[in-house]
């Protein structure tokens, strides 16, 4: 397909005021979009779980980039699985339906690596997405988001609706969510180390046994991938967005402690859940389809994230 010219397009970015969303808005503008034609709905004014709110939002719009999600780490997934399933399914399903009904030109749905089966050959390939059930602690969230892929493919088949589905790996970067009740592993660890330093702790407890592996993608890289796909990807198959670098939680904790100059004994709380055993994506499809490759070195990105948090920590 020809690359979409963003210059005169009216674009909605749900979740556009969030950690990733702000970067996506900036990169849309860098790619030619006009900021005054980008709409960023706020949840307090626009409840995407209500069909009427979705219908109002998509009216006269050309492109929808759906980033909004009710999401968090293992703790939140264990505490609120019903909310996470319902909120994410309803937001996405109704927004897709409203966009199709309103004649929106393009729908970009950002899914989650949590959609992959618990046991999947590493690195994860998009074709393996349906070969098993997701890891139990985040399955309700993962299944709800994966259902949106089915909806987009069905709407493409029946209505010719141009909806694409992207699967970013765990994100990190400045302005991330550092709330201990809902943050993911990198911001959670940075905050825990910072607070332990402030108290002068000599022991540092961490959930699990440190054996699981994760892959992380810097927020500006993720935003670039989303914008490239928005402009020039138009196929039904889902596409991974990742960095290709896999690290164990044990090594991650040691690296963050090292970068933050924190010396303490790490205590692994093996009675706590590990989450998915390994998580790393095959990113060949993204490179072949729209030229995406991550640019930010992991150590550099971590250092920038730590610096931002230290400047903004209360």
């Amino acid at each position: 397909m020809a690359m979409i010219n963003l210059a005169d397009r009216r674009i909605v970015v749900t979740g556009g005021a969030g950690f990733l969303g702000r970067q996506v808005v900036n990169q849309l503008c860098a790619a030619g979009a006009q900021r005054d034609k980008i709409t960023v709905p706020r949840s307090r004014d626009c409840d995407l779980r209500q069909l009427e709110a979705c219908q109002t939002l998509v009216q006269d719009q050309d492109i929808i980039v759906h980033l909004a999600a009710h999401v968090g780490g293992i703790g939140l997934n264990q505490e609120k699985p019903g909310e996470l399933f319902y909120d994410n399914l309803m937001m996405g399903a109704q927004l897709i339906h409203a966009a199709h009904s309103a004649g929106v030109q393009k729908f970009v749905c950002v899914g989650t690596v949590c959609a992959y089966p618990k046991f999947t050959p590493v690195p994860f390939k998009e074709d393996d997405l349906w070969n098993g059930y997701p890891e139990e602690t985040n399955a309700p969230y993962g299944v709800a988001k994966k259902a949106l892929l089915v909806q987009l493919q069905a709407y493409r088949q029946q209505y010719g609706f141009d909806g694409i589905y992207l699967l970013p790996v765990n994100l990190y970067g400045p302005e991330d969510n550092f709330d201990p009740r809902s943050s993911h592993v990198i911001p959670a660890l940075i905050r825990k180390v910072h607070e332990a330093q402030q108290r002068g702790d000599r022991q540092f407890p961490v959930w699990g046994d440190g054996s699981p592996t994760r892959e992380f993608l810097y927020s500006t890289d993720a935003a670039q991938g989303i914008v490239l796909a928005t402009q020039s990807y138009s196929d039904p198959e889902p596409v991974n967005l990742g960095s290709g670098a896999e690290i164990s939680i044990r090594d991650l904790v040691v690296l963050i402690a090292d970068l933050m100059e924190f010396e303490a004994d790490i205590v692994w709380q093996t009675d706590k859940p590990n989450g998915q055993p390994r998580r790393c994506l095959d990113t060949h499809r993204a490179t072949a389809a729209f030229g995406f490759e991550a640019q930010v070195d992991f150590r550099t990105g971590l250092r920038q994230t730590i610096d931002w948090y230290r400047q903004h920590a209360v």
Side-chain angles (χ1 to χ4, degrees):
M1 64 166 284
M3 181 177 283
I4 292 177
N5 179 0
L6 300 176
D8 56 349
R9 297 297 196 276
R10 290 156 300 186
I11 305 170
V12 171
V13 183
T14 71
F19 155 59
L20 173 61
R22 284 192 288 268
Q23 300 291 350
V24 169
V25 170
N26 289 341
Q27 299 227 17
L28 283 167
C29 293
Q34 295 163 258
R35 196 169 285 265
D36 62 355
K37 291 192 174 182
I38 298 176
T39 299
V40 175
R42 304 305 297 267
S43 56
R44 60 176 176 266
D45 308 314
C46 180
D47 185 349
L48 296 176
R49 295 170 301 180
Q50 305 298 324
L51 180 59
E52 296 78 12
C54 295
Q55 290 168 329
T56 301
L57 178 64
V58 302
Q59 207 60 45
D60 300 320
Q61 299 293 326
D62 300 306
I63 298 170
I64 311 296
V65 181
H66 180 45
L67 307 174
H70 186 177
V71 62
I74 289 177
L76 186 72
N77 277 282
Q78 287 188 314
E79 182 188 348
K80 297 183 174 180
E83 276 185 41
L84 293 175
F85 180 83
Y86 180 84
D87 289 355
N88 288 291
L89 181 66
M90 297 307 286
M91 283 194 293
Q94 297 192 122
L95 193 62
I96 290 168
H97 186 73
H100 147 66
S101 300
V104 167
Q105 177 187 357
K106 180 103 179 230
F107 194 104
V108 181
C109 187
V110 177
T112 172
V113 69
C114 299
Y116 273 101
K118 180 176 182 176
F119 298 105
T120 311
V122 178
F124 298 0
K125 292 182 169 62
E126 294 93 344
D127 293 343
D128 290 331
L129 195 57
W130 295 100
N131 293 345
Y133 195 69
E135 197 279 321
E136 293 80 4
T137 54
N138 53 39
Y141 170 66
V143 170
K145 295 291 275 187
K146 188 154 63 165
L148 305 180
L149 168 61
V150 178
Q151 184 179 7
L152 287 172
Q153 290 174 332
Y155 278 43
R156 179 183 292 272
Q157 181 181 340
Q158 184 170 349
Y159 309 120
F161 184 55
D162 186 10
I164 64 171
Y165 190 89
L166 306 175
L167 285 154
V169 77
N170 297 53
L171 305 179
Y172 75 104
E175 303 182 319
D176 202 343
N177 169 27
F178 288 85
D179 183 336
R181 294 167 300 179
S182 57
S183 56
H184 284 106
V185 61
I186 285 180
L189 285 171
I190 290 171
R191 178 169 177 152
K192 280 183 70 173
V193 168
H194 178 79
E195 292 177 349
Q197 280 180 311
Q198 304 295 101
R199 293 189 301 264
D201 292 356
R202 305 308 306 152
Q203 289 197 324
F204 187 67
V206 184
W207 276 26
D209 62 14
S211 65
T213 65
R214 294 292 179 265
E215 173 186 3
F216 298 97
L217 183 63
Y218 198 63
S219 55
T220 55
D221 279 337
Q224 183 193 32
I226 290 165
V227 172
L228 284 170
T230 301
Q231 290 178 285
S232 53
Y233 185 69
S234 192
D235 289 338
E237 291 81 19
V239 183
N240 289 334
L241 296 178
S243 62
E246 186 181 10
I247 185 171
S248 73
I249 298 299
R250 184 177 295 275
D251 289 344
L252 176 65
V253 172
V254 170
L255 178 56
I256 288 174
D258 179 50
L259 290 172
M260 297 181 74
E261 299 180 343
F262 175 54
E263 295 181 9
D265 293 326
I266 298 167
V267 179
W268 295 100
Q269 298 178 302
T270 53
D271 60 323
K272 302 290 189 183
N274 269 330
Q276 192 154 17
R278 290 182 71 186
R279 194 177 279 170
C280 183
L281 298 182
D282 183 307
T283 57
H284 286 94
R285 185 176 288 175
T287 304
F290 46 90
F292 172 71
E293 289 186 10
Q295 304 297 316
V296 179
D297 167 74
F298 185 51
R299 196 179 183 96
T300 302
L302 269 184
R303 196 182 298 280
Q304 291 171 350
T305 307
I306 290 164
D307 289 348
W308 183 90
Y309 178 71
R310 282 179 161 159
Q311 290 166 17
H312 295 84
V314 178

